[in-house]
């Protein structure tokens, strides 16, 4: 710590990203990327964007991309906000919407960036424990609170909430923003975007990093009614008015238009998830019911940290969280069937 630091930074619990090791032949199942390359149409658009026009600033309002997202999700272009990954969209959301005089509720256990952003933006956070089955019970959010943010499906549990529950949550918080982080929605969940026309306090955040296989491009978006989006635009224009580069805008536009690639790829991941779940259960793991591109699993006879370390020795990387309540668990990204088979073979050596 330095005396030059602001008190906010001195007190900040910075987010610790998952490892991005560079070893060849690694089975990398630790940060929920897609095991498949992105749509060929997206790659072509990115290559085409690498021309002399890169000397020019990109479209500051990313109109083409926002139109494509609006068309895909049947909303108007003014209801779409884009940013550098959903992390940036979430950061702008915290800055724009969640700075209330009352606290912000989110689950304990959940995406740990929420704690970091609450610290960074000086928001009082109230963490609401999951129930005994590691589920979010929206009845626990029924208190005179400020805003709510939660992932659906939740991370790292993978457990989703039905749309009717999300609607109840949004309806029970009139006048307070409810942010649904749908990073993993395309692997079996029900998106709350359908509720946006009905509720002026709902903001839905999604990403191109998972189901569109573009984590390296950094594109995320939010959908909500105009006043919420306008608040995000104000923050963005006060922070970086050109948040998305030309390649990112072009690539993401082509990606969201490639429905055939999207359907085929998410179908493969959902099928692999079912197979991996059954292989893990055969070996004595308890696997939480996942609607995401990862599973959260524990073995009664083996500590999570030890298992993760032994897998690592066998060139298989999974995620382990130190938080006491979930320290038994491993979060395992769904890889290709071949990658999942290598994980299972490594487990057979260590169990
Ligand atoms: N929300 C959740 C719940 C996540 O797990 C992640 C990925 N770490 C993100 C948001 C951010 O994803 P990105 O910034 O790549 O869009």
């Amino acid at each position: 710590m330095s005396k030059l630091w602001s008190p906010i930074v001195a007190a900040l619990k910075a987010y610790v990203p998952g490892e991005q090791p560079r070893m060849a032949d690694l089975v990398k199942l630790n940060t929920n990327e897609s095991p498949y390359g992105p749509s060929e149409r997206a790659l072509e658009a990115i290559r085409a964007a690498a021309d002399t026009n890169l000397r020019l600033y990109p479209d500051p309002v990313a109109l083409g991309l926002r139109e494509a997202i609006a068309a895909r999700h049947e909303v108007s272009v003014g209801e779409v906000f884009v940013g550098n990954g959903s992390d940036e969209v979430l950061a702008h959301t915290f800055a724009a919407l969640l700075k209330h005089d009352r606290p912000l509720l989110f689950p304990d256990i959940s995406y740990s960036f929420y704690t970091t952003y609450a610290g960074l933006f000086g928001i009082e956070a109230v963490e609401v424990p999951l129930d005994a089955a590691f589920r979010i019970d929206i009845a626990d959010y029924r208190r005179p609170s400020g805003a709510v943010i939660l992932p659906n499906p939740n991370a790292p549990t993978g457990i989703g909430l039905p749309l009717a529950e999300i609607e109840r949550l949004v309806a029970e918080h009139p006048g307070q923003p409810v942010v649904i982080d749908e990073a993993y929605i395309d692997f079996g969940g029900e998106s709350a975007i359908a509720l946006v026309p009905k509720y002026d306090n709902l903001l839905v955040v999604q990403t191109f990093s998972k189901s569109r296989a573009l984590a390296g491009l950094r594109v995320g978006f939010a959908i909500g009614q105009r006043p919420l989006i306008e608040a995000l635009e104000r923050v963005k224009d006060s922070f970086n008015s050109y948040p998305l580069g030309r390649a990112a805008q072009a690539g993401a536009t082509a990606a969201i238009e490639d429905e055939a690639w999207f359907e085929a790829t998410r179908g493969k991941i959902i099928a692999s998830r079912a197979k991996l779940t059954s292989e893990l259960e055969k070996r004595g793991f308890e696997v939480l019911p996942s609607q995401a591109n990862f599973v959260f699993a524990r073995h009664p006879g083996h500590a999570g940290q030890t298992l993760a370390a032994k897998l690592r020795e066998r060139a298989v990387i999974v995620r382990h969280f130190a938080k006491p309540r979930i320290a038994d668990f491993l979060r395992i990204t769904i890889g290709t069937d071949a990658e999942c088979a290598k994980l299972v073979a490594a487990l057979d050596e260590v169990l």
Side-chain angles (χ1 to χ4, degrees), residues 6-7 24 30 51 66 69 87 125 133 139 169 196 206 208 224 243 252 272 280 285 332:
S6 83
N30 68 330
D51 67 4
R66 286 170 50 233
I69 294 169
D87 281 341
L169 178 74
V196 163
Q206 290 197 4
F208 283 74
S272 300
L280 292 172
F285 277 92
I332 306 169

Side-chain angles (χ1 to χ4, degrees), residues 1 253-254:
M1 202 200 295
T253 305

Side-chain angles (χ1 to χ4, degrees), residues 3 116 125 130 140 146 217 222 239 249 272 342 351:
K3 270 193 267 178
T116 299
L130 300 181
D140 295 337
L217 202 62
F239 177 75
Q249 293 190 29
S272 300
K342 284 188 191 166
L351 288 175

Side-chain angles (χ1 to χ4, degrees), residues 280-281 283-287 297-300 307 330 347 351:
L280 292 172
E281 283 173 349
R283 286 160 180 81
F285 277 92
E286 176 197 354
V287 186
R298 64 178 162 188
H299 196 286
L307 269 185
L330 299 178
L347 283 171
L351 288 175

